mmCIF file of all heavy atoms in Angstrom:
data_model
loop_
_atom_site.group_PDB
_atom_site.id
_atom_site.type_symbol
_atom_site.label_atom_id
_atom_site.label_comp_id
_atom_site.label_asym_id
_atom_site.label_seq_id
_atom_site.Cartn_x
_atom_site.Cartn_y
_atom_site.Cartn_z
ATOM 1 N N LYS A 87 -5.406 -84.430 29.022
ATOM 2 C CA LYS A 87 -4.077 -84.226 28.488
ATOM 3 C C LYS A 87 -4.181 -83.627 27.098
ATOM 4 O O LYS A 87 -3.426 -82.692 26.770
ATOM 5 C CB LYS A 87 -3.430 -85.749 28.310
ATOM 6 C CG LYS A 87 -1.909 -85.740 28.531
ATOM 7 C CD LYS A 87 -1.409 -86.997 28.064
ATOM 8 C CE LYS A 87 -1.162 -87.900 29.261
ATOM 9 N NZ LYS A 87 -0.340 -89.019 28.825
ATOM 10 N N ILE A 90 -5.091 -79.847 27.497
ATOM 11 C CA ILE A 90 -4.026 -79.107 28.000
ATOM 12 C C ILE A 90 -2.971 -78.835 27.014
ATOM 13 O O ILE A 90 -2.229 -77.890 26.866
ATOM 14 C CB ILE A 90 -3.475 -79.630 29.339
ATOM 15 C CG1 ILE A 90 -4.487 -79.563 30.324
ATOM 16 C CG2 ILE A 90 -2.264 -78.930 29.873
ATOM 17 C CD1 ILE A 90 -4.151 -80.053 31.790
ATOM 18 N N GLY A 91 -2.685 -80.048 26.170
ATOM 19 C CA GLY A 91 -1.757 -79.967 25.071
ATOM 20 C C GLY A 91 -2.278 -78.895 24.027
ATOM 21 O O GLY A 91 -1.323 -78.327 23.411
ATOM 22 N N ALA A 94 -5.348 -75.298 26.892
ATOM 23 C CA ALA A 94 -6.397 -74.897 27.725
ATOM 24 C C ALA A 94 -5.815 -74.465 29.107
ATOM 25 O O ALA A 94 -4.885 -75.102 29.625
ATOM 26 C CB ALA A 94 -7.328 -76.104 27.929
ATOM 27 N N ALA A 101 -7.476 -77.210 39.250
ATOM 28 C CA ALA A 101 -6.163 -77.407 39.477
ATOM 29 C C ALA A 101 -5.967 -78.208 40.807
ATOM 30 O O ALA A 101 -5.080 -79.123 40.996
ATOM 31 C CB ALA A 101 -5.306 -76.174 39.485
ATOM 32 N N PRO A 111 1.015 -81.830 39.971
ATOM 33 C CA PRO A 111 1.620 -81.722 41.446
ATOM 34 C C PRO A 111 0.576 -81.051 42.408
ATOM 35 O O PRO A 111 -0.237 -80.337 41.959
ATOM 36 C CB PRO A 111 2.808 -80.796 41.197
ATOM 37 C CG PRO A 111 2.657 -80.031 39.982
ATOM 38 C CD PRO A 111 1.852 -80.910 39.147
ATOM 39 N N LEU A 112 0.785 -81.317 43.652
ATOM 40 C CA LEU A 112 -0.143 -80.920 44.719
ATOM 41 C C LEU A 112 -0.109 -79.370 44.671
ATOM 42 O O LEU A 112 0.898 -78.787 44.720
ATOM 43 C CB LEU A 112 0.354 -81.267 46.084
ATOM 44 C CG LEU A 112 -0.501 -82.405 46.740
ATOM 45 C CD1 LEU A 112 -0.025 -82.474 48.243
ATOM 46 C CD2 LEU A 112 -1.996 -82.129 46.672
ATOM 47 N N HIS A 113 -1.368 -78.661 44.683
ATOM 48 C CA HIS A 113 -1.375 -77.277 44.558
ATOM 49 C C HIS A 113 -0.887 -76.656 45.887
ATOM 50 O O HIS A 113 -1.099 -77.235 46.965
ATOM 51 C CB HIS A 113 -2.853 -76.878 44.342
ATOM 52 C CG HIS A 113 -2.982 -75.507 44.012
ATOM 53 N ND1 HIS A 113 -3.061 -75.004 42.676
ATOM 54 C CD2 HIS A 113 -3.243 -74.307 44.746
ATOM 55 C CE1 HIS A 113 -3.246 -73.778 42.624
ATOM 56 N NE2 HIS A 113 -3.310 -73.251 43.919
ATOM 57 N N PRO A 114 -0.062 -75.497 45.825
ATOM 58 C CA PRO A 114 0.415 -74.941 47.023
ATOM 59 C C PRO A 114 -0.586 -74.600 48.121
ATOM 60 O O PRO A 114 -0.401 -74.846 49.288
ATOM 61 C CB PRO A 114 1.179 -73.756 46.671
ATOM 62 C CG PRO A 114 1.308 -73.846 45.116
ATOM 63 C CD PRO A 114 0.435 -74.842 44.654
ATOM 64 N N MET A 115 -1.816 -74.151 47.638
ATOM 65 C CA MET A 115 -2.720 -73.751 48.551
ATOM 66 C C MET A 115 -3.343 -74.891 49.271
ATOM 67 O O MET A 115 -3.752 -74.739 50.532
ATOM 68 C CB MET A 115 -3.828 -73.002 47.914
ATOM 69 C CG MET A 115 -3.492 -71.578 47.456
ATOM 70 S SD MET A 115 -2.609 -70.562 48.662
ATOM 71 C CE MET A 115 -3.944 -70.361 49.943
ATOM 72 N N VAL A 117 -1.707 -77.508 50.315
ATOM 73 C CA VAL A 117 -0.777 -77.772 51.466
ATOM 74 C C VAL A 117 -0.901 -76.681 52.520
ATOM 75 O O VAL A 117 -0.946 -77.019 53.743
ATOM 76 C CB VAL A 117 0.682 -77.848 50.897
ATOM 77 C CG1 VAL A 117 1.683 -78.101 51.966
ATOM 78 C CG2 VAL A 117 0.772 -78.890 49.768
ATOM 79 N N THR A 118 -0.958 -75.435 52.052
ATOM 80 C CA THR A 118 -0.949 -74.424 53.040
ATOM 81 C C THR A 118 -2.307 -74.374 53.862
ATOM 82 O O THR A 118 -2.140 -74.148 55.059
ATOM 83 C CB THR A 118 -0.901 -73.037 52.316
ATOM 84 O OG1 THR A 118 -0.065 -73.067 51.169
ATOM 85 C CG2 THR A 118 -0.475 -71.824 53.208
ATOM 86 N N GLU A 121 -1.895 -77.059 56.499
ATOM 87 C CA GLU A 121 -0.982 -76.628 57.599
ATOM 88 C C GLU A 121 -1.756 -75.716 58.510
ATOM 89 O O GLU A 121 -1.711 -75.777 59.705
ATOM 90 C CB GLU A 121 0.236 -75.858 56.955
ATOM 91 C CG GLU A 121 1.295 -76.850 56.361
ATOM 92 C CD GLU A 121 2.407 -76.004 55.809
ATOM 93 O OE1 GLU A 121 2.343 -74.814 55.792
ATOM 94 O OE2 GLU A 121 3.373 -76.741 55.454
ATOM 95 N N ARG A 122 -2.435 -74.735 57.822
ATOM 96 C CA ARG A 122 -3.253 -73.756 58.643
ATOM 97 C C ARG A 122 -4.208 -74.451 59.528
ATOM 98 O O ARG A 122 -4.389 -74.192 60.755
ATOM 99 C CB ARG A 122 -3.937 -72.782 57.794
ATOM 100 C CG ARG A 122 -3.044 -71.770 57.139
ATOM 101 C CD ARG A 122 -3.868 -70.761 56.327
ATOM 102 N NE ARG A 122 -3.050 -69.911 55.466
ATOM 103 C CZ ARG A 122 -3.505 -69.227 54.464
ATOM 104 N NH1 ARG A 122 -4.787 -69.255 54.153
ATOM 105 N NH2 ARG A 122 -2.630 -68.460 53.877
ATOM 106 N N GLU B 54 4.996 -67.505 56.220
ATOM 107 C CA GLU B 54 4.127 -68.307 55.376
ATOM 108 C C GLU B 54 4.196 -67.938 53.888
ATOM 109 O O GLU B 54 4.215 -68.684 53.012
ATOM 110 C CB GLU B 54 2.692 -68.284 55.858
ATOM 111 C CG GLU B 54 1.896 -69.487 55.468
ATOM 112 C CD GLU B 54 0.372 -69.370 55.768
ATOM 113 O OE1 GLU B 54 -0.116 -68.214 55.426
ATOM 114 O OE2 GLU B 54 -0.189 -70.286 56.363
ATOM 115 N N LEU B 58 5.214 -69.923 50.802
ATOM 116 C CA LEU B 58 4.124 -70.162 49.739
ATOM 117 C C LEU B 58 4.690 -69.679 48.366
ATOM 118 O O LEU B 58 4.402 -70.314 47.316
ATOM 119 C CB LEU B 58 2.992 -69.274 50.190
ATOM 120 C CG LEU B 58 1.556 -69.694 49.590
ATOM 121 C CD1 LEU B 58 1.325 -71.025 50.060
ATOM 122 C CD2 LEU B 58 0.492 -68.669 49.846
ATOM 123 N N ARG B 61 6.811 -72.462 47.032
ATOM 124 C CA ARG B 61 5.938 -73.554 46.486
ATOM 125 C C ARG B 61 5.325 -73.236 45.210
ATOM 126 O O ARG B 61 5.275 -74.144 44.336
ATOM 127 C CB ARG B 61 4.795 -73.819 47.607
ATOM 128 C CG ARG B 61 5.274 -74.562 48.892
ATOM 129 C CD ARG B 61 4.107 -75.014 49.613
ATOM 130 N NE ARG B 61 4.563 -75.541 50.944
ATOM 131 C CZ ARG B 61 4.000 -75.377 52.069
ATOM 132 N NH1 ARG B 61 2.872 -74.530 52.124
ATOM 133 N NH2 ARG B 61 4.397 -76.014 53.266
ATOM 134 N N TYR B 62 4.873 -71.957 45.085
ATOM 135 C CA TYR B 62 4.209 -71.601 43.859
ATOM 136 C C TYR B 62 5.198 -71.599 42.722
ATOM 137 O O TYR B 62 4.917 -72.078 41.621
ATOM 138 C CB TYR B 62 3.639 -70.251 43.966
ATOM 139 C CG TYR B 62 2.108 -70.217 44.088
ATOM 140 C CD1 TYR B 62 1.636 -69.798 45.375
ATOM 141 C CD2 TYR B 62 1.304 -70.590 43.252
ATOM 142 C CE1 TYR B 62 0.175 -69.762 45.543
ATOM 143 C CE2 TYR B 62 -0.129 -70.620 43.421
ATOM 144 C CZ TYR B 62 -0.650 -70.251 44.574
ATOM 145 O OH TYR B 62 -1.954 -70.234 44.791
ATOM 146 N N TYR B 65 5.717 -75.248 41.787
ATOM 147 C CA TYR B 65 4.491 -75.759 41.162
ATOM 148 C C TYR B 65 4.284 -75.202 39.652
ATOM 149 O O TYR B 65 4.124 -76.071 38.775
ATOM 150 C CB TYR B 65 3.167 -75.386 41.919
ATOM 151 C CG TYR B 65 1.980 -75.635 41.473
ATOM 152 C CD1 TYR B 65 1.359 -76.982 41.564
ATOM 153 C CD2 TYR B 65 1.162 -74.688 40.728
ATOM 154 C CE1 TYR B 65 0.232 -77.263 41.108
ATOM 155 C CE2 TYR B 65 -0.121 -75.021 40.109
ATOM 156 C CZ TYR B 65 -0.616 -76.280 40.442
ATOM 157 O OH TYR B 65 -1.834 -76.494 39.866
ATOM 158 N N ILE B 68 6.729 -77.023 37.362
ATOM 159 C CA ILE B 68 6.424 -78.401 37.108
ATOM 160 C C ILE B 68 5.261 -78.333 36.130
ATOM 161 O O ILE B 68 5.182 -79.131 35.065
ATOM 162 C CB ILE B 68 5.999 -79.180 38.284
ATOM 163 C CG1 ILE B 68 7.120 -79.293 39.241
ATOM 164 C CG2 ILE B 68 5.542 -80.582 37.972
ATOM 165 C CD1 ILE B 68 6.952 -79.941 40.618
ATOM 166 N N VAL B 69 4.204 -77.452 36.433
ATOM 167 C CA VAL B 69 3.165 -77.332 35.523
ATOM 168 C C VAL B 69 3.472 -77.025 34.008
ATOM 169 O O VAL B 69 2.858 -77.505 33.086
ATOM 170 C CB VAL B 69 1.910 -76.447 36.096
ATOM 171 C CG1 VAL B 69 0.874 -76.124 35.109
ATOM 172 C CG2 VAL B 69 1.317 -77.208 37.339
ATOM 173 N N LEU B 72 4.883 -79.866 32.361
ATOM 174 C CA LEU B 72 3.879 -80.758 32.027
ATOM 175 C C LEU B 72 3.119 -80.494 30.666
ATOM 176 O O LEU B 72 2.942 -81.103 29.864
ATOM 177 C CB LEU B 72 2.846 -80.956 33.123
ATOM 178 C CG LEU B 72 3.224 -81.917 34.202
ATOM 179 C CD1 LEU B 72 2.232 -81.875 35.331
ATOM 180 C CD2 LEU B 72 3.279 -83.394 33.684
ATOM 181 N N ARG B 73 2.736 -79.131 30.749
ATOM 182 C CA ARG B 73 2.089 -78.568 29.592
ATOM 183 C C ARG B 73 2.918 -78.738 28.416
ATOM 184 O O ARG B 73 2.462 -79.087 27.306
ATOM 185 C CB ARG B 73 1.843 -77.083 29.801
ATOM 186 C CG ARG B 73 0.580 -76.721 30.286
ATOM 187 C CD ARG B 73 0.382 -75.214 30.230
ATOM 188 N NE ARG B 73 -0.476 -74.831 31.387
ATOM 189 C CZ ARG B 73 -1.802 -74.860 31.362
ATOM 190 N NH1 ARG B 73 -2.446 -75.449 30.293
ATOM 191 N NH2 ARG B 73 -2.407 -74.445 32.378
ATOM 192 N N PHE B 76 2.662 -82.221 27.209
ATOM 193 C CA PHE B 76 1.380 -82.644 26.637
ATOM 194 C C PHE B 76 1.292 -82.137 25.220
ATOM 195 O O PHE B 76 0.737 -82.769 24.311
ATOM 196 C CB PHE B 76 0.191 -82.173 27.542
ATOM 197 C CG PHE B 76 0.246 -82.860 28.845
ATOM 198 C CD1 PHE B 76 -0.560 -82.273 29.882
ATOM 199 C CD2 PHE B 76 0.721 -84.096 29.062
ATOM 200 C CE1 PHE B 76 -0.609 -82.904 31.090
ATOM 201 C CE2 PHE B 76 0.702 -84.619 30.269
ATOM 202 C CZ PHE B 76 -0.034 -84.023 31.303
ATOM 203 N N ARG B 77 1.727 -80.797 25.030
ATOM 204 C CA ARG B 77 1.632 -80.270 23.752
ATOM 205 C C ARG B 77 2.386 -80.983 22.698
ATOM 206 O O ARG B 77 2.023 -81.244 21.581
ATOM 207 C CB ARG B 77 2.171 -78.704 23.825
ATOM 208 C CG ARG B 77 1.647 -77.941 22.768
ATOM 209 C CD ARG B 77 2.489 -76.607 22.416
ATOM 210 N NE ARG B 77 2.971 -76.162 23.610
ATOM 211 C CZ ARG B 77 2.466 -75.122 24.316
ATOM 212 N NH1 ARG B 77 1.405 -74.560 23.850
ATOM 213 N NH2 ARG B 77 3.058 -74.603 25.422
ATOM 214 N N GLU B 79 3.130 -84.129 22.807
ATOM 215 C CA GLU B 79 2.507 -85.389 22.452
ATOM 216 C C GLU B 79 1.431 -85.179 21.476
ATOM 217 O O GLU B 79 1.184 -85.947 20.603
ATOM 218 C CB GLU B 79 1.902 -86.054 23.822
ATOM 219 C CG GLU B 79 1.599 -87.513 23.571
ATOM 220 C CD GLU B 79 0.815 -88.060 24.793
ATOM 221 O OE1 GLU B 79 1.218 -87.605 25.894
ATOM 222 O OE2 GLU B 79 -0.076 -88.798 24.595
ATOM 223 N N VAL B 80 0.595 -84.093 21.825
ATOM 224 C CA VAL B 80 -0.492 -83.903 20.825
ATOM 225 C C VAL B 80 -0.060 -83.546 19.480
ATOM 226 O O VAL B 80 -0.617 -84.083 18.515
ATOM 227 C CB VAL B 80 -1.369 -82.627 21.326
ATOM 228 C CG1 VAL B 80 -2.248 -82.067 20.273
ATOM 229 C CG2 VAL B 80 -2.120 -83.067 22.547
ATOM 230 N N ARG B 84 -0.703 -85.780 16.020
ATOM 231 C CA ARG B 84 -1.329 -85.220 14.782
ATOM 232 C C ARG B 84 -0.396 -85.437 13.625
ATOM 233 O O ARG B 84 -0.840 -85.820 12.511
ATOM 234 C CB ARG B 84 -1.428 -83.666 15.020
ATOM 235 C CG ARG B 84 -2.763 -83.078 14.590
ATOM 236 C CD ARG B 84 -2.839 -81.684 14.994
ATOM 237 N NE ARG B 84 -3.586 -81.465 16.188
ATOM 238 C CZ ARG B 84 -3.807 -80.363 16.751
ATOM 239 N NH1 ARG B 84 -3.085 -79.146 16.336
ATOM 240 N NH2 ARG B 84 -4.516 -80.254 17.889
#
Side-chain angles (χ1 to χ4, degrees):
Chain A
K87 214 194 262 193
I90 296 184
L112 254 191
H113 195 89
M115 285 315 289
V117 181
T118 325
E121 283 179 355
R122 285 179 189 167
Chain B
E54 204 191 45
L58 206 59
R61 284 192 188 139
Y62 259 112
Y65 177 79
I68 300 173
V69 166
L72 277 173
R73 264 189 211 279
F76 293 161
R77 200 202 324 262
E79 196 188 323
V80 164
R84 227 174 260 172

